[in-house]
Structures are given as structure tokens and as C-alpha cells.
Amino acid sequence: MIYSDNIFFAKAALELGADRFTDGLDRFGFNQVVPFEIKMSQSQYDNDGSITEEIQLADSGYGQGQVLANPLHLAVMYTAFSNSGSMITPYLIYKDDPSAEVWINQAISKEHSSLLTEDLKAVVNNPAGSGYAAHRTDMELAGKTGTAELKSEQGTTGQEIGWFSVFTTDPSASKPVLLTSMVESVEDKGGSTYVVKKDAAVLDSYFGS
């Protein structure tokens, strides 16, 4: 997780098998309409709704293959780590006294949510972590980088899309935040590290550098 190792996640997907892998994604809201004031595209893991080829399953394990994630949906998935495994319904209109409404109850177990949160903390706080550029000394953050490669076949080059999601881990934080960013054409800018640095600047502005 710290190194964002594609080989590890490819092997993990193969060990799970297509049925367990896609069942898990379905529990996280893939192929579902995200409840929101503006209609959003559904996230998918296959153009036809099922994964039948082993190579596609391996590629899907690290977010390639035919996986397409809506940025809003991705942000909603990260709310599970702050809500004991349940995903929160997003909303656009400002509320003076908001209260959380659950969209998907127990998308992941509380135990697995806690375990993954520790891994996500390491991504940002371990000097070897792919998200370390967002590390702060005044608070604890957790997050994950991602790089989507747009190319027709292995061994070729193409456009890359950089992703980074980051959130505060302290439930009593006075200014909690969850930030998900996607930047196109990062192949010559350092990949997802470029997005991490951009988000770090946003966090500096929000919290104060």
C-alpha cells in the first residue's frame, strides 16, 4: 500500500477471484447511481458488468482494465474509513447544521476499515509513502495515490491521469476535511506525485502552512 505496488494488488485480485472481487466492488456502490443533486456517471469495473478474463481481473486489481471511477463516488468511498465502514450520502447544497445520512451501510467491516486506515496513514506519513508530500506535523492525515494509464495495450505509452485522496483521521478535528483530486496528463509531471503536491498546497491554504 505504501509503495502503491501494482503487482501486489494484481495478485490479490487473482487470489480473490472474479466473483469475490466484483461482489466487493458492488458493495462499494459500483454500477449504482450515487444519490446526489446532480446526476453522475456510475462507476464500473467492466463494460459489460462482469470480469471473465484473468488478465483483466489482475489489471482491475490496481485500477486498470475497464475500471472507471467517478471522482465523487471515490470521495464517498473514502467516507467509510471515518464511519466504521459505512459510506455517507453526499450533498451539494450547504446546510447550517448538517447530519450524516448513510448511503451504504457496512460497505466494509469496521475491523477491515480500521486496518486499511492504518495502511492509508502510512501512505502519507511514512517517508517512503507515495503520498508523503502531503505529510503534516500539526495533524495526522491518511490517503492514497493512483495513476490511470490511458493506452490501448501493454508496453506502449499514453496519457496518464493522476489521483490522490486524503482525509483527516481525528474524529474530533476542528476542521475535518476529505479531498479527492484528479488531474489529467501528468505523465510528464511526476505522475500522481504531482497531484499530491497540488493537494498539499490546498491543505496548507485550508489549515495554514
Side-chain angles (χ1 to χ4, degrees), residues 148-209:
E149 300 178 13
L150 306 182
K151 57 186 182 181
S152 58
E153 59 183 44
Q154 294 287 347
T156 61
T157 59
Q159 180 185 357
E160 293 183 358
I161 298 176
W163 294 79
F164 184 52
S165 292
V166 60
F167 60 98
T168 48
T169 61
D170 184 356
S172 62
S174 59
K175 295 178 67 176
V177 66
L178 165 60
L179 176 63
T180 293
S181 298
M182 179 192 76
V183 179
E184 295 181 335
S185 303
V186 297
E187 60 273 9
D188 297 320
K189 301 176 181 178
S192 59
T193 301
Y194 175 82
V195 189
V196 177
K197 292 178 179 178
K198 285 286 188 180
D199 282 2
V202 173
L203 294 172
D204 284 344
S205 176
Y206 181 70
F207 293 117
S209 56

Side-chain angles (χ1 to χ4, degrees), residues 33-42 70 72:
V33 175
V34 178
F36 195 57
E37 290 92 335
I38 299 173
K39 184 177 181 180
M40 295 286 181
S41 299
Q42 296 181 29
N70 181 292
L72 174 65

